[in-house]
Amino acid sequence: ASAQFAKPKDAIKYRQSALFVMGQHFSRIGAMANGKAPFDAKAAAEDADIVADMAKLPWAGFGAGTEGGKAKPEIWKEQAKFKEHSDKLQAETVKLAAAAKTGNLDTLKAAFGSTAGSCKACHDAFRGR
Ligand code: ASC
């Protein structure tokens, strides 16, 4: 997988960039879900589609020999577990995008909560500082 990148640093920058863009759009949904921003169903649906698209990308940036950044070395030692987390996130973001399309704030809140739970579970296991 790292062969897709010219240098390990590029893989690290790629995964961090995908996660950053995903986080920006996920946070906008979070602000609506938590009542810190007015609920705009159209914007939430657009944000959620971007989150679901971005959620597909970071994993290619965690190939062999790309240890570094905030990623814990455990990622490369527990690859099945890491993949479970990344698969779970992708499944949750597909549900988030569907929830956002209903235009119902309570539905969106529930999907936001379970998606955030999958972000957190992986961060707790595999993100250092
Ligand atoms: C976010 C974000 C995360 C998750 C995580 C959930 O909005 O950027 O990484 O939610 O904080 O606990």
Side-chain angles (χ1 to χ4, degrees), residues 23 26-27 112 116-117 119-120 123 127:
F26 189 60
S27 300
F112 175 81
C119 299
K120 183 176 190 305
H123 291 162
R127 183 173 70 176

Side-chain angles (χ1 to χ4, degrees), residues 29 37 41 44 53 56 58 60 66 69 72 80 82 89 100-101 105 113 119 123:
I29 297 170
D53 284 340
K56 300 172 187 169
T66 65
K72 285 191 181 169
F82 185 63
L89 175 73
K101 288 184 180 76
L105 181 56
C119 299
H123 291 162

Side-chain angles (χ1 to χ4, degrees), residues 19-20 22-28 30-31 34 112-113 115-121 123-124 127:
L19 289 161
F20 177 76
M22 179 164 62
Q24 292 294 300
H25 291 273
F26 189 60
S27 300
R28 292 175 198 174
N34 294 313
F112 175 81
T115 305
S118 80
C119 299
K120 183 176 190 305
H123 291 162
D124 288 351
R127 183 173 70 176

Side-chain angles (χ1 to χ4, degrees), residues 86-107:
S86 66
D87 287 348
K88 176 88 160 80
L89 175 73
Q90 289 172 81
E92 292 293 351
T93 62
V94 169
K95 291 185 208 167
L96 178 70
K101 288 184 180 76
T102 68
N104 181 288
L105 181 56
D106 287 329
T107 303

